[in-house]
Amino acid sequence: MLVGVRDVHGVTHDVSPAGPSPVTLASGGVDGLVAKPEVVSSTSGFVPGRLVHGLTTPPVEGQLQLLVDANPGYRAVAAWFSFRKLAEIIVGDWSLPVRLGGPVPPPEVAPDGEPLVEMTVPLVGDGGVWLSPVRTGDTIENTGDVPVWPTIRWSGTAAVAWPSGMVTTLPAVTAESVLDTAPESGLVVRTGGVVNVPASKSVEAFTEPVMPGETAHLGLTNCKATWRIGRWSPWL
């Protein structure tokens, strides 16, 4: 599948122009939906130019142009997307979680009177990056554009040795639990999908990302790591 949409109900639709679906991507139907990284820098009146400290990744914005057949119909396809629930745009092996960036406009012609009706879907990807399939192992090769923070899964007692040599001892749990090590996750432990408050309170707040272009080995004791690579564009 070259291009697809995984709707808010988890159903995947192949919208490739030559695909089998009654909903297809119009010519030039992907507008935007790639990140525009912004430079973080500082300047001085005593030094020419600027000092670049890094790059930030803002949300992704754009739209899809779809050609919709009378069956399934305009309304049904508009319901693939939501302001509150995430759908995914799929390009090859890469996917972009998105929500509606505005209302889907009404059709320009009576949707029951034409074999194909064009639909414009405004979208926002708040995460800012296209994601690879989930990968697992103890060696992370970050071929993407943003730092990778692994997710750790374990049961019982476990520990992670980071590339710097620092070790995070994970709290003892009686069932398989998950810790997203990204700072924005709050280092919350979830057991069976539910926040494990006692375990979360005892997490050692030390984790390390794998930066773009770097490869890192994790020392995993009685646990496994999973992660996804993030890219600014699925075409590069």
Side-chain angles (χ1 to χ4, degrees):
M1 180 172 59
L2 176 63
V3 182
V5 176
R6 184 171 294 114
D7 67 28
V8 295
H9 307 291
V11 179
T12 301
H13 310 270
D14 186 343
V15 299
S16 302
S21 173
V23 181
T24 57
L25 194 68
S27 177
V30 180
D31 182 11
L33 298 180
V34 293
K36 298 179 180 179
E38 299 174 351
V39 173
V40 179
S41 63
S42 58
T43 59
S44 169
F46 302 98
V47 179
R50 63 179 177 177
L51 178 63
V52 176
H53 303 290
L55 297 165
T56 61
T57 303
V60 169
E61 297 183 355
Q63 60 186 24
L64 286 185
Q65 297 277 353
L66 299 174
L67 298 175
V68 181
D69 194 270
N71 182 19
Y74 198 90
R75 184 187 299 272
V77 175
W80 291 359
F81 306 92
S82 169
F83 286 98
R84 297 178 178 85
K85 296 180 180 180
L86 293 178
E88 288 183 90
I89 308 304
I90 302 167
V91 174
D93 291 332
W94 298 88
S95 62
L96 177 70
V98 293
R99 59 176 176 82
L100 282 175
V104 175
E108 295 183 359
V109 297
D112 297 330
E114 296 287 336
L116 290 174
V117 177
E118 188 169 289
M119 172 186 288
T120 300
V121 186
L123 297 169
V124 175
D126 294 301
V129 291
W130 291 77
L131 298 171
S132 74
V134 175
R135 302 177 183 182
T136 188
D138 59 8
T139 300
I140 301 174
E141 181 183 5
N142 187 354
T143 58
D145 299 309
V146 295
V148 168
W149 298 86
T151 295
I152 308 299
R153 298 176 181 273
W154 80 102
S155 180
T157 58
V160 179
W162 300 97
S164 66
M166 295 292 292
V167 176
T168 296
T169 301
L170 299 167
V173 291
T174 57
E176 184 178 76
S177 300
V178 178
L179 173 66
D180 181 351
T181 64
E184 62 268 25
S185 74
L187 295 176
V188 171
V189 176
R190 296 181 184 273
T191 304
V194 179
V195 175
N196 185 327
V197 176
S200 298
K201 288 181 177 179
S202 60
V203 170
E204 296 180 7
F206 181 85
T207 61
E208 292 179 15
V210 181
M211 301 303 291
E214 294 184 357
T215 298
H217 178 77
L218 305 179
L220 303 175
T221 302
N222 194 36
C223 60
K224 67 177 182 178
T226 60
W227 66 91
R228 301 176 78 176
I229 303 297
R231 286 186 180 172
W232 292 322
S233 170
W235 313 105
L236 300 176

